[in-house]
Amino acid sequence: NAGVTQTPKFQVLKTGQSMTLQCAQDMNHNSMYWYRQDPGMGLRLIYYSASEGTTDKGEVPNGYNVSRLNKREFSLRLESAAPSQTSVYFCAIGTSGRLRTLYNEQFFGPGTRLTVL
Amino acid sequence: KQEVTQIPAALSVPEGENLVLNCSFTDSAIYNLQWFRQDPGKGLTSLLLIQSSQREQTSGRLNASLDKSSGRSTLYIAASQPGDSATYLCAVRRSTGTASKLTFGTGTRLQVTL
């Protein structure tokens, strides 16, 4: 997981509280992604950013917002947390666009374990 | 919609055994396929990446094959060791789009016993 950092590692929220998950990379990759991982569901894409200044919805975007602050940082915000958002959240990075010849391999951060009571 | 299936969901083998993990996908129009390892409570570590034009990739005791036309990939682990115990995930990438979005399988949990 070298090159991708996530904060915090653990968080417990009460229903209705808000919080922001932070992700930063030092690999100079264009694309950044937020996934959630739930038992029996696999990893599902929440939002992604193909490059600085752009963001797009993934498979399960409801209840989340994102900000691509700069090339290094991509944050995920829960405005009003719900128990259904209890999950492990992973940030990932990868190449895109004209760098597709570099195989588009994705690299993952260590994850944030979130519990919403 | 692309669906990725991994069978079996769990597997236990004695140390030293060779084993094969399976991954199947419903839409053969993929750009590439990536195998990951995930240790309990940890993030994902990329193991192998196979482009759609390739048949296989090797790294040490790991060999991944891809048959795009039949929608299948296998991960072969030779001479398994207890340190190989982890969950193995496969993910496929669509052919189109400006960002390389992945669709994941639910994983195979491998335990290698002494």
Side-chain angles (χ1 to χ4, degrees):
Chain A
N1 300 326
V4 184
T5 57
Q6 291 184 237
T7 55
K9 286 184 168 49
F10 302 93
Q11 184 71 49
V12 178
L13 294 177
K14 295 181 180 178
T15 297
Q17 288 185 316
S18 62
M19 78 161 295
T20 300
L21 282 66
Q22 306 286 355
C23 174
Q25 57 134 336
D26 61 5
M27 297 179 72
N28 201 36
H29 281 351
N30 290 323
S31 299
M32 300 185 75
Y33 309 82
W34 277 106
Y35 294 89
R36 59 178 290 174
Q37 185 177 36
D38 303 290
M41 300 290 290
L43 279 89
R44 292 178 293 168
L45 183 65
I46 305 171
Y47 269 94
Y48 68 99
S49 171
S51 61
E52 184 179 352
T54 68
T55 60
D56 284 287
K57 295 178 180 179
E59 185 183 353
V60 288
N62 292 343
Y64 305 95
N65 285 301
V66 290
S67 295
R68 183 72 183 268
L69 305 171
N70 47 54
K71 190 170 185 179
R72 288 188 63 249
E73 299 171 291
F74 189 37
S75 62
L76 179 71
R77 182 161 178 83
L78 287 71
E79 290 292 350
S80 179
S84 61
Q85 294 178 304
T86 293
S87 187
V88 182
Y89 291 85
F90 288 101
C91 175
I93 62 174
T95 56
S96 65
R98 60 186 177 87
L99 294 178
R100 290 182 71 183
T101 53
L102 296 180
Y103 305 134
N104 294 117
E105 189 171 4
Q106 286 195 11
F107 301 93
F108 282 72
T112 294
R113 190 173 298 272
L114 174 67
T115 300
V116 183
L117 302 175
Chain B
K1 178 185 174 184
Q2 177 76 272
E3 293 183 1
V4 181
T5 304
Q6 291 186 249
I7 295 174
L11 179 65
S12 181
V13 300
E15 182 180 13
E17 190 165 300
N18 302 326
L19 60 102
V20 174
L21 306 181
N22 298 295
C23 172
S24 61
F25 46 94
T26 55
D27 185 352
S28 62
I30 65 169
Y31 185 69
N32 57 34
L33 182 146
Q34 197 167 352
W35 280 95
F36 294 89
R37 169 187 173 134
Q38 185 176 28
D39 293 286
K42 303 292 185 183
L44 280 68
T45 300
S46 179
L47 297 174
L48 289 165
L49 178 72
I50 311 178
Q51 297 294 61
S52 61
S53 58
Q54 297 175 319
R55 297 287 290 181
E56 64 179 64
Q57 281 284 342
T58 298
S59 175
R61 294 183 294 109
L62 304 179
N63 176 278
S65 68
L66 175 63
D67 184 344
K68 198 174 82 161
S69 62
S70 67
R72 294 181 181 178
S73 176
T74 61
L75 179 66
Y76 174 82
I77 302 177
S80 58
Q81 302 170 359
D84 295 330
S85 298
T87 296
Y88 290 81
L89 299 162
C90 71
V92 297
R93 181 171 288 107
R94 293 187 327 188
S95 294
T96 59
T98 57
S100 53
K101 293 182 284 185
L102 293 173
T103 301
F104 281 83
T106 53
T108 294
R109 188 171 68 253
L110 172 66
Q111 182 175 12
V112 181
T113 58
L114 292 170

